[in-house]
Amino acid sequence: MKFKKCLPAACAFMAVSGMAQASSYTLEKNASITDQGYTVSELSGEGVLNFSNVLLTALNLASVKLSAVEPATVAYSTSTSSTGIVRYVNGSVSAKAPVTSITGTFDGTTVNVTGVQTSGGSLQSVTTSQATLGPGSLSISNLRVDLSRYTAGTTASIDIYADLSGGNGFASLSNYRLWTADTLTGPTTFTVNGAPQLFSATNTLSGIFLANATDIDSIFVKALNLNNTGRSGINSVNNRTLTNVDGFGKITSTISAFAQPVTAPVPEPGTLAMLGLGLAGIAAVGSARRRAVP
């Protein structure tokens, strides 16, 4: 979706007279959109998925190897036991992906962000281990956070979509509703003030759990070739308890964009002169017509 276009003068009139209507928009990176008297551009930002410790326990159990799906990057620290077993250190694993677009509405006064799209992700690969039946892989990338059903202070869903591909006959899925988030912190609405301004926000999604519990088997067990031990590990990640409120982890995003008021062009001096002559001519004709009336 793009902004519905209107002439700057018309947009200004609608805003002043209370006639402004909210427009749906998609602002993409390295692009701009103009509506309601403003041009918005210079979108930048990133989303970072911080893996929960309970997820790292499951990954260590299956000896999962993590790598990046570009343009995202993956960061982690490992430790090696006396027997040579390499494990991810709790709190050290994250996947960082650039923001490529945001969606929302704008009514001339308030910008409301309803969605964020990122690019890239992480690839999980396994070989035969105590938690697998053999080789497997699962790629989770291009996360899209959908806030269209979310209202602050309610239990309305915060949906997280992803592109999925994997091994062992797993059929790839595009824009699939994989997770939901329990809470959102940080602003999602911004007010324009008539002057050039930079909007920026940091948001955190917490309590990330599978949207469908059946995906434990249809996605993770199948693609990663998990046995009962591996399945138990993923099931623990998705099991909400008093001690497991994070689920798969937290997503923290930082986003900024620049809003510039659109000003009507100032007429050239020659244009003003021609306009003056035209008005004078109209006045002269009107005067002559009045004198001709008997």
Side-chain angles (χ1 to χ4, degrees), residues 21-242:
Q21 300 295 317
S23 300
S24 299
Y25 70 84
T26 294
L27 174 62
E28 298 180 355
K29 190 174 182 179
N30 301 322
S32 65
I33 48 179
T34 299
D35 187 51
Q36 311 276 19
Y38 287 86
T39 294
V40 185
S41 60
E42 300 180 25
L43 173 65
S44 65
E46 61 190 24
V48 180
L49 171 59
N50 294 288
F51 290 39
S52 69
N53 289 342
V54 66
L55 175 58
L56 293 182
T57 297
L59 297 182
N60 286 331
L61 185 65
S63 300
V64 172
K65 179 181 179 182
L66 289 171
S67 57
V69 177
E70 295 183 346
T73 58
V74 172
Y76 56 82
S77 297
T78 60
S79 63
T80 304
S81 70
S82 58
T83 58
I85 298 176
V86 179
R87 298 185 181 278
Y88 296 110
V89 176
N90 281 351
S92 73
V93 181
S94 64
K96 180 191 299 184
V99 170
T100 56
S101 68
I102 59 174
T103 58
T105 60
F106 179 51
D107 63 3
T109 301
T110 302
V111 177
N112 180 37
V113 178
T114 60
V116 178
Q117 177 73 56
T118 63
S119 179
S122 65
L123 173 66
Q124 305 162 52
S125 304
V126 298
T127 57
T128 303
S129 71
Q130 62 175 331
T132 67
L133 298 172
S137 64
L138 176 62
S139 170
I140 302 176
S141 63
N142 304 332
L143 298 189
R144 179 175 68 87
V145 176
D146 183 3
L147 303 176
S148 61
R149 298 195 296 164
Y150 170 73
T151 302
T154 72
T155 58
S157 176
I158 303 170
D159 299 318
I160 304 171
Y161 293 77
D163 292 344
L164 307 171
S165 61
N168 302 297
F170 175 75
S172 297
L173 298 171
S174 179
N175 198 30
Y176 181 77
R177 183 171 173 259
L178 180 63
W179 292 310
T180 62
D182 291 339
T183 60
L184 166 66
T185 60
T188 59
T189 59
F190 308 91
T191 302
V192 297
N193 58 16
Q197 61 192 117
L198 179 69
F199 296 105
S200 61
T202 298
N203 302 90
T204 299
L205 296 173
S206 304
I208 298 176
F209 294 87
L210 291 175
N212 300 291
T214 56
D215 286 342
I216 292 174
D217 293 306
S218 61
I219 295 178
F220 290 88
V221 171
K222 183 175 182 60
L224 291 171
N225 209 7
L226 301 178
N227 58 21
N228 288 337
T229 300
R231 185 191 186 283
S232 177
I234 293 296
N235 189 62
S236 296
V237 177
N238 200 54
N239 185 26
R240 282 184 177 88
T241 65
L242 293 177

